[in-house]
Amino acid sequence: MFRQASRLLARTTTPWRRSRAFSSDVPATPAQDSNFIESWSKVIPNLDPPKTPSSFMTPRPATPSAIPSKLTVNFVLPYASELSAKEVDMVIVPATTGQMGVLPGHVPTIAELKPGILSVHEGNDVTKYFLSSGFALIHANSVADIIAVEAVPVDRLDPALVQKGLADFTQKLGSATTDLEKAEAQIGVDVHSAMNSAITG
């Protein structure tokens, strides 16, 4: 047993090598697999090789050598695009781990979003949206893609309806008998509590 341990320790002293490239090492333009295209041409010479999803995407912008002065934000919903390539100073997203501020030059990150406020800061102007859930993808080139299931500007929330919804779901949570009913009621309480905080805060 000790002999095997010494062998394993000896292995760890060898220089560490990455087995996989980081996202910043990936070229901006997708490279075609020449072996696949050559094999395809031998088997089916009359038909063009199939295209991959990356063939239809615009090339990823290169990571800048210096930190840009602005953060480029794309904010999309399933049915609309709220912000498209908008340059801002900062965004604050309601991540499940807590409020996360994103400035130009932020490290690449993927964050799951919880019900809460998305703040978009542009100079002295701050635009606030209430999000139900979603994801934020922060890229190395100071681009932030924010994908939400539902979102509405905070100033369009009706305080009376939010209070009524919170009371209804709190009552449902108290009278729930099955795990499903409890889970659904708890989600309703969490979302309406977050909306109430967004209005009052």
Side-chain angles (χ1 to χ4, degrees):
M1 182 171 158
F2 289 113
R3 286 185 202 140
Q4 289 179 351
S6 62
R7 255 184 304 162
L8 290 172
L9 287 171
R11 273 189 217 161
T12 59
T13 59
T14 59
W16 178 73
R17 289 180 304 186
R18 291 196 324 232
S19 58
R20 214 169 54 150
F22 292 124
S23 62
S24 57
D25 297 336
V26 177
T29 54
Q32 288 188 329
D33 187 348
S34 56
N35 290 335
F36 173 77
I37 292 173
E38 185 181 335
S39 300
W40 179 275
S41 301
K42 289 177 183 174
V43 176
I44 312 173
N46 302 345
L47 198 62
D48 290 335
K51 294 187 180 292
T52 60
S54 59
S55 304
F56 300 96
M57 297 168 63
T58 55
R60 179 177 55 79
T63 303
S65 56
I67 295 175
S69 60
K70 295 286 185 179
L71 176 72
T72 304
V73 177
N74 300 304
F75 175 33
V76 294
L77 308 172
Y79 49 84
S81 175
E82 291 290 328
L83 301 173
S84 178
K86 185 163 181 70
E87 292 192 340
V88 301
D89 296 317
M90 176 178 70
V91 294
I92 300 175
V93 297
T96 53
T97 54
Q99 293 292 101
M100 184 173 80
V102 181
L103 293 164
H106 196 284
V107 295
T109 307
I110 298 176
E112 184 181 359
L113 305 179
K114 65 179 181 180
I117 297 176
L118 163 69
S119 302
V120 181
H121 298 254
E122 189 177 5
N124 294 326
D125 297 330
V126 180
T127 308
K128 294 184 177 182
Y129 298 88
F130 179 81
L131 309 183
S132 63
S133 60
F135 288 91
L137 295 89
I138 317 303
H139 306 282
N141 56 2
S142 293
V143 174
D145 293 325
I146 301 166
I147 301 102
V149 176
E150 287 287 344
V152 63
V154 170
D155 56 9
R156 287 181 50 197
L157 292 174
D158 186 335
L161 289 176
V162 170
Q163 288 290 341
K164 183 181 182 303
L166 181 56
D168 290 346
F169 279 106
T170 303
Q171 184 181 359
K172 286 180 183 177
L173 183 59
S175 61
T177 55
T178 66
D179 288 342
L180 178 60
E181 288 175 351
K182 288 177 184 174
E184 289 174 344
Q186 186 62 58
I187 291 169
V189 168
D190 292 345
V191 171
H192 283 80
S193 296
M195 281 194 282
N196 192 44
S197 298
I199 294 168
T200 58

